[in-house]
Amino acid sequence: MPRLASLTPTTAVGASKDLLAELVNRHGQVGDMVAAMAHSPAVLGGYLQLSRAMKRAKLSRKITERISIAVQVQQGCAVCLEAHVAAAHANGVEADEIERARAGTSADPAIAAMIDLGLRVYREPASISDEHIAGLRAHGYGDREIADVVGIVALNVLTGAFNLVAGVKPDEPDR
C-alpha cells in the first residue's frame, strides 16, 4: 500500500495542480510516482526539470540506461529497476548486457568505465580520483559525458528514493 496518496489535477493545489494538469493533458495520465510527488510542488517541478534536462544528455540511452540499472540495483527501487530494464530493451540493449549492468559492468570496457563512474558517484563520490577521470578520457569521454553521469545518478537517486519513501511498488502482474 502506498504511503503517500496519489493526487490528481482535481485534488492537487497550487503549482502541483497546474503541473499535473499539464502532464495529464499531454500524456493522458501520470504514474504513481508523479501523482505522489505532487504533494510537493518543489519536488515535482524539480523532478520534471531534471528529467527533461537529462533527456539532452550527450551519452546514449544505451549507456544511461545501463548506468541507471546498476544504480537502481544498489538503491533497491524495484519500480525504477523495472522501468530502466524495459527502457534498455526498447533501446536495443541485449539481455546479456542488461545482466552485466545489474552486476555493475559491461563487456565493453568503455561502457564498464561509465557504469563504474555512476556507481562511484552513487556510493562514494569522494573516491573518484584524477586517475579515474583520466581513464574515462582515455576511453574517449569528455567533460560533458562525465558531467552527464552525475546528472543521471542524481535523477536516479531522486526517483528511487522517492518511490521507496512513498511506498510506490511495481504493478502486480495479471494472474
Side-chain angles (χ1 to χ4, degrees):
M1 172 136 225
R3 294 182 189 124
L4 301 180
S6 292
L7 297 178
T8 67
T10 305
T11 58
V13 296
S16 288
K17 179 182 191 94
D18 297 338
L19 290 168
L20 284 177
E22 177 187 334
L23 289 168
V24 169
N25 284 339
R26 270 196 282 147
H27 304 289
Q29 64 181 9
V30 296
D32 294 338
M33 179 189 75
V34 170
M37 277 183 175
H39 287 283
S40 170
V43 171
L44 179 57
Y47 160 71
L48 293 172
Q49 288 177 13
L50 182 57
S51 181
R52 287 180 192 130
M54 294 319 302
K55 287 180 180 166
R56 296 186 300 273
K58 187 173 181 185
L59 286 172
S60 74
R61 285 289 301 273
K62 286 184 174 187
I63 295 174
T64 63
E65 292 303 340
R66 285 185 259 190
I67 293 167
S68 296
I69 289 167
V71 169
Q72 291 304 338
V73 164
Q74 294 297 305
Q75 188 163 257
C77 177
V79 172
C80 294
L81 181 59
E82 189 177 276
H84 290 295
V85 166
H89 277 295
N91 281 281
V93 178
E94 300 293 331
D96 62 331
E97 275 299 302
I98 290 172
E99 287 308 308
R100 284 185 183 99
R102 285 177 183 269
T105 193
S106 171
D108 181 326
I111 295 172
M114 288 306 256
I115 293 170
D116 179 64
L117 175 63
L119 288 172
R120 286 174 184 256
V121 168
Y122 175 72
R123 289 186 201 140
E124 50 184 331
S127 74
I128 299 166
S129 65
D130 293 344
E131 293 78 22
H132 190 210
I133 298 300
L136 292 166
R137 289 197 175 106
H139 283 294
Y141 296 114
D143 292 352
R144 181 173 175 187
E145 292 94 347
I146 294 166
D148 281 347
V149 172
V150 177
I152 294 298
V153 172
L155 182 58
N156 274 280
V157 169
L158 173 61
T159 58
F162 189 88
N163 281 333
L164 292 167
V165 169
V168 177
K169 304 220 184 302
D171 292 331
E172 291 292 320
D174 294 334
R175 295 180 197 246

